[in-house]
Amino acid sequence: MAGNSKKAILLIIDGLGDLPTPKTPLQMAKKPNLDRLAKNGMTGLLAPVKRYVVPGSDTSHLQLLGYEPSIFYHGRGPLEALGLGMDMRNGDVAFRTNFATVKNGRVIDRRAGRIDTKTAGALSRNLSMKIEDVQVEFKNSVEHRGALVLHGPGLSHNVCETDPHELGPVHECHPLDASREAAKTARIVNRFTEITGGMLSAAPENRKREKPANMLLLRGAGYYEKVPSFTERFGIEAACVAGGALYKGIARYLGMDVVIVPGATGDRNTNLRAKAQASVKALQDYDVVFMHVKACDSAGHDGDVEGKKRMLERIDAEAVPILEKSGAYIIITGDHSTPCCRKAHSGHEVPILVCGKGERTDGVTKFDEISCAEGGLGHIRGKDIVYLILNLIEKAEKYGS
Amino acid sequence: MAGNSKKAILLIIDGLGDLPTPKTPLQMAKKPNLDRLAKNGMTGLLAPVKRYVVPGSDTSHLQLLGYEPSIFYHGRGPLEALGLGMDMRNGDVAFRTNFATVKNGRVIDRRAGRIDTKTAGALSRNLSMKIEDVQVEFKNSVEHRGALVLHGPGLSHNVCETDPHELGPVHECHPLDASREAAKTARIVNRFTEITGGMLSAAPENRKREKPANMLLLRGAGYYEKVPSFTERFGIEAACVAGGALYKGIARYLGMDVVIVPGATGDRNTNLRAKAQASVKALQDYDVVFMHVKACDSAGHDGDVEGKKRMLERIDAEAVPILEKSGAYIIITGDHSTPCCRKAHSGHEVPILVCGKGERTDGVTKFDEISCAEGGLGHIRGKDIVYLILNLIEKAEKYGS
């Protein structure tokens, strides 16, 4: 489509990179479309944050979208809350939450028996409340997950988590500095935990559950501060197509519009065709679309080589041809490696490809961790990506004259 | 050995890189073991400090071990003194020293006829003394070499050297700024030089020497300040296996344990098998072992291509197989190039290889300056090395969540 000749789609495949055992999932996957784009374009290896630094998904996406995390990252909680559509004002504090099962003050299941979304939704009614002069807003998302926002004056994110991250005693929330703000925040968190613990224990939805969702565990404290928008900073309009709350939240944080796509679930059942079609459609109104696919990372965390390979094959078959047909420049990479053998993020670089009409090419014909090491982009960094896109679509401002 | 699967050995071959005349010593050397590691692992080129910056061995090692020299390098003297086992306290000042032969106030041999270590040791008795409120401690090391530490209040390293670095008049020590501290330090250095000059001239050991060691020349002024330890900064335990005082001193400066290896001399007769065995043994107690081999640099300074090649072949035959058998991740590189044709350090990058179970590979099959330019690590920098190691051994802290 000629109208897209100065537009770009940035596809981030979460946790894309891996290690060879003896081949990587990318090397094993049948992915004729990705390989063709690699052949017709330029490839390389991307260090999302810095060489060998192990990125979180939050810091990495900020960096890939041009927002240096050492300046713009203030914790995970606010990004999750924004992704659930919750409003945040300067100075608000937010947490990620888990419904958990607690017995005699000890967590016996951090996910309350992987509670279903519908039951969690029913339990979530009336869990928002005012404590002191702070409005405490809770919202559940998928299964046991949710977010908590504290709106009000004099708060601090410098408090410890109540989530022990393992089975064992629930942590009390303590201030992590001597400030009045941290003391107040910890007090409110503890009061909220106590009140909601009582409400949940008494909730009819929990009565028949073997693993009652009788506690909200908090982690990922962060504060919200409005940042200059992506458009203000880079002079182009951007939209986001994603399933996972974090990615939608990051987009909202940066002032990008989030396109709602039915069937975009953020898991391995996500509707990739619908997401790709929505991305291409959004090019009518935006210069660049950031499309995110989560499930490869989840498979990596599960150590599921076969699942990661299958998801890559789905992306190749279902999403890539639609993106390619748009006529836009296409950049495909990941936010970090999640090697299946480690079941965790790693600091290994991630393959990247850049493809579009009239762009340079290299000799690489396959899109994988080993082949792309020989690519013409060399070793590039997360902070280069926005400038790469601006240059591709001829929207870069000249530096000097 | 399975117990080493999350450990690493960093082998630094001092002055490793060279220029082709028409081949480099690495290209000429028979080194089947290094080449096999290159083939089984990833290779690249390392700029120890910055691209094309000519590093000293001191600044380069600090950078390779994660200590930015612009922050943590305070002169060579303290590192040499620490390497000789001398104690230093915050604010102490130290110098490297040479026994020299002086006649009528002029240096006629900067190394006192390359005085042997035993005679130098005998001459060194009673050269420590108190001047004003400063305790001046001298210690000799190998041949003409030694170190001097000034313990006391109100000192400064900002004074000139007494070593003229060529034949000619001994320099008087002058303060290099208007501070009271620099004036005091220069006064003490000059007094020390005068007193020890008299003592050495009268020493019986000098009577029969054609080139009497009748003067201590001072250079490399620096001050000591305790820095956060390697373990505090990176969360892993590290040990050092080295012959040369500087390298042991750097390790002590960073709070690493130094393994004493009989036969580790820091010259071309060093016992490489013993050093490699000690490195592997240290893996039982440490996460990473930094092993240093000096003699390739010395051969480079001497313009001795054949000697450099032979030393590389010794490393390949005697050390590498022992390191490889440990099962640990192995990183082999240099701290800088010392091209034989220049007889000096240069700013050319140094080959690097990284090898270990389950890691990515590339198409490079030889370990040398030319082959490694095509390696999958690309062009990496000294400051990346600690993060590379942390990522390899899965001890990196995630940045973000």
Side-chain angles (χ1 to χ4, degrees):
Chain A
M1 287 179 246
N4 292 331
S5 66
K6 293 189 181 174
K7 308 265 170 132
I9 296 173
L10 170 64
L11 170 59
I12 308 275
I13 302 174
D14 209 295
L16 174 66
D18 214 298
L19 289 171
T21 55
K23 291 199 166 187
T24 69
L26 256 181
Q27 286 182 304
M28 287 187 288
K30 271 188 203 133
K31 45 172 181 38
N33 297 307
L34 285 166
D35 288 342
R36 189 180 56 256
L37 293 192
K39 181 161 179 273
N40 294 341
M42 289 269 270
T43 64
L45 289 179
L46 168 75
V49 175
K50 287 182 190 168
R51 287 293 288 269
Y52 307 115
V53 166
V54 180
S57 287
D58 43 18
T59 51
S60 180
H61 275 84
L62 287 173
Q63 185 73 82
L64 293 174
L65 296 171
Y67 286 71
E68 173 66 38
S70 66
I71 300 169
F72 295 107
Y73 179 61
H74 307 145
R76 174 84 168 241
L79 302 173
E80 292 278 349
L82 288 169
L84 298 187
M86 300 173 84
D87 283 323
M88 295 201 71
R89 294 184 290 264
N90 279 348
D92 284 355
V93 164
F95 299 84
R96 303 171 75 184
T97 67
N98 270 18
F99 275 114
T101 306
V102 170
K103 200 171 169 181
N104 301 325
R106 295 176 67 86
V107 177
I108 59 167
D109 189 321
R110 279 189 70 243
R111 295 160 171 170
R114 272 214 183 265
I115 188 169
D116 65 285
T117 304
K118 194 177 159 200
T119 309
L123 283 166
S124 299
R125 282 191 299 267
N126 307 319
L127 294 187
S128 297
M129 63 190 70
K130 188 144 190 171
I131 301 177
E132 300 183 18
D133 56 355
V134 172
Q135 183 61 34
V136 183
E137 291 288 341
F138 171 74
K139 189 165 178 181
N140 72 304
S141 60
V142 177
E143 298 176 343
H144 54 282
R145 301 179 190 86
L148 189 76
V149 173
L150 275 53
H151 295 290
L155 296 168
S156 166
H157 71 300
N158 207 16
V159 296
C160 71
E161 311 188 326
T162 64
D163 187 342
H165 291 269
E166 55 187 10
L167 303 189
V170 176
H171 292 173
E172 202 179 342
C173 186
H174 291 294
L176 294 174
D177 61 39
S179 69
R180 186 193 303 233
E181 289 77 9
K184 174 179 174 179
T185 307
R187 197 167 65 230
I188 289 168
V189 163
N190 288 327
R191 185 80 186 110
F192 174 81
T193 301
E194 190 190 333
I195 295 172
T196 52
M199 290 169 71
L200 289 167
S201 297
E205 290 84 358
N206 266 327
R207 247 171 245 157
K208 278 180 290 187
R209 290 184 66 78
E210 192 195 335
K211 297 273 182 68
N214 56 10
M215 173 76 68
L216 278 170
L217 297 177
L218 272 49
R219 63 194 160 115
Y223 68 97
Y224 177 79
E225 195 173 71
K226 190 170 161 54
V227 299
S229 75
F230 188 84
T231 300
E232 285 170 309
R233 291 189 61 219
F234 301 113
I236 57 173
E237 304 281 340
C240 163
V241 171
L246 173 64
Y247 312 95
K248 294 191 264 193
I250 288 172
R252 280 191 71 201
Y253 180 51
L254 310 185
M256 294 180 182
D257 288 337
V258 175
V259 180
I260 301 304
V261 182
T265 56
D267 64 21
R268 65 185 64 193
N269 301 314
T270 196
N271 188 336
L272 289 169
R273 283 200 180 83
K275 285 172 81 170
Q277 281 157 352
S279 298
V280 172
K281 181 148 181 271
L283 290 177
Q284 294 172 12
D285 299 315
Y286 299 91
D287 299 295
V288 56
V289 175
F290 150 49
M291 173 173 159
H292 181 266
V293 177
K294 180 69 180 171
C296 288
D297 178 57
S298 309
H301 281 286
D302 292 342
D304 179 5
V305 175
E306 191 55 35
K308 192 165 177 178
K309 168 175 162 277
R310 264 202 314 273
M311 194 66 203
L312 290 165
E313 291 176 343
R314 276 197 59 205
I315 293 169
D316 185 81
E318 298 169 29
V320 173
I322 295 171
L323 303 182
E324 191 182 3
K325 241 197 273 173
S326 72
Y329 291 99
I330 296 174
I331 304 98
I332 302 181
T333 188
D335 59 341
H336 51 75
S337 293
T338 309
C340 293
C341 58
R342 294 195 179 189
K343 300 185 179 182
H345 297 189
S346 83
H348 296 86
E349 292 166 297
V350 191
I352 178 169
L353 73 79
V354 176
C355 183
K357 199 164 166 354
E359 272 303 306
R360 298 183 184 168
T361 59
D362 59 29
V364 172
T365 58
K366 296 210 171 294
F367 186 61
D368 62 59
E369 297 85 346
I370 310 301
S371 305
C372 290
E374 296 180 9
L377 296 172
H379 296 262
I380 76 170
R381 295 165 303 178
K383 66 178 178 180
D384 299 327
I385 297 298
V386 169
Y387 299 97
L388 180 152
I389 293 173
L390 290 169
N391 182 51
L392 281 174
I393 65 174
E394 299 180 47
K395 292 283 165 60
E397 252 186 60
K398 189 159 62 177
Y399 175 57
S401 71
Chain B
M1 285 180 246
N4 293 330
S5 66
K6 292 188 181 175
K7 308 261 170 137
I9 296 174
L10 170 65
L11 169 59
I12 307 276
I13 303 175
D14 208 294
L16 174 66
D18 213 299
L19 290 170
T21 55
K23 290 198 168 187
T24 69
L26 257 181
Q27 286 182 304
M28 287 186 288
K30 273 189 201 131
K31 44 171 182 39
N33 297 307
L34 285 165
D35 288 342
R36 188 182 54 258
L37 293 192
K39 180 162 179 274
N40 294 341
M42 289 269 271
T43 64
L45 290 178
L46 169 74
V49 175
K50 287 181 189 169
R51 289 293 287 267
Y52 307 115
V53 166
V54 180
S57 286
D58 43 17
T59 50
S60 179
H61 275 83
L62 286 174
Q63 184 74 80
L64 293 174
L65 296 171
Y67 285 71
E68 174 67 37
S70 65
I71 300 169
F72 295 107
Y73 179 61
H74 307 144
R76 175 81 167 243
L79 302 173
E80 293 278 348
L82 288 168
L84 298 186
M86 301 174 84
D87 283 325
M88 297 201 71
R89 293 184 289 264
N90 279 347
D92 285 354
V93 164
F95 299 84
R96 303 171 76 182
T97 66
N98 270 16
F99 276 115
T101 306
V102 170
K103 202 171 169 181
N104 301 327
R106 295 176 66 85
V107 177
I108 61 168
D109 189 320
R110 277 189 71 243
R111 294 159 172 173
R114 270 213 185 265
I115 187 168
D116 64 284
T117 305
K118 197 179 156 197
T119 310
L123 283 167
S124 299
R125 283 191 298 267
N126 307 319
L127 295 187
S128 296
M129 62 188 70
K130 187 144 191 170
I131 301 177
E132 301 182 17
D133 57 354
V134 172
Q135 182 62 33
V136 184
E137 292 286 342
F138 170 74
K139 190 167 179 182
N140 71 304
S141 60
V142 177
E143 299 176 340
H144 54 283
R145 301 178 190 87
L148 190 76
V149 172
L150 276 52
H151 296 290
L155 296 168
S156 166
H157 71 298
N158 207 14
V159 297
C160 70
E161 311 188 327
T162 64
D163 186 342
H165 291 269
E166 56 187 10
L167 304 188
V170 176
H171 292 173
E172 201 178 343
C173 185
H174 292 293
L176 294 174
D177 62 40
S179 70
R180 187 193 303 230
E181 289 78 9
K184 174 179 174 178
T185 306
R187 198 166 65 229
I188 288 168
V189 163
N190 288 327
R191 185 81 185 111
F192 175 81
T193 302
E194 191 191 331
I195 295 172
T196 52
M199 290 169 71
L200 290 167
S201 297
E205 290 83 357
N206 266 326
R207 252 171 239 157
K208 280 181 288 187
R209 292 184 65 79
E210 192 196 336
K211 296 273 182 69
N214 56 10
M215 173 74 69
L216 278 170
L217 297 177
L218 271 49
R219 63 196 162 112
Y223 68 98
Y224 177 78
E225 194 174 70
K226 192 170 159 55
V227 299
S229 74
F230 188 84
T231 300
E232 286 169 310
R233 292 188 60 220
F234 302 114
I236 57 174
E237 304 281 340
C240 164
V241 170
L246 173 63
Y247 312 95
K248 294 191 264 196
I250 288 171
R252 280 191 73 201
Y253 179 52
L254 310 185
M256 293 181 183
D257 287 338
V258 176
V259 180
I260 301 303
V261 183
T265 56
D267 63 22
R268 66 185 65 194
N269 301 313
T270 196
N271 189 336
L272 289 169
R273 282 199 181 86
K275 286 172 80 170
Q277 280 157 352
S279 298
V280 172
K281 182 149 180 274
L283 290 177
Q284 294 173 11
D285 299 316
Y286 299 91
D287 300 296
V288 58
V289 176
F290 150 49
M291 172 175 160
H292 181 266
V293 177
K294 180 68 181 173
C296 289
D297 178 56
S298 309
H301 280 286
D302 293 342
D304 179 5
V305 175
E306 190 54 36
K308 191 164 177 179
K309 168 174 163 280
R310 265 202 313 272
M311 194 67 203
L312 290 166
E313 291 176 345
R314 276 197 60 206
I315 293 169
D316 185 81
E318 298 168 29
V320 173
I322 295 172
L323 303 183
E324 190 182 5
K325 241 197 272 173
S326 72
Y329 291 100
I330 297 174
I331 304 98
I332 302 180
T333 188
D335 59 340
H336 51 73
S337 293
T338 309
C340 293
C341 58
R342 294 196 181 186
K343 300 185 178 182
H345 296 190
S346 81
H348 297 87
E349 289 167 296
V350 190
I352 178 168
L353 73 79
V354 176
C355 182
K357 199 164 166 358
E359 274 301 307
R360 296 179 184 171
T361 60
D362 58 30
V364 173
T365 59
K366 295 209 170 298
F367 185 60
D368 61 58
E369 297 85 347
I370 312 301
S371 305
C372 291
E374 294 180 8
L377 296 173
H379 297 263
I380 78 169
R381 294 163 304 174
K383 66 178 177 181
D384 299 327
I385 297 297
V386 169
Y387 298 96
L388 179 151
I389 293 173
L390 290 169
N391 183 49
L392 280 174
I393 65 174
E394 299 181 49
K395 291 285 164 61
E397 252 185 60
K398 190 159 65 174
Y399 175 53
S401 76

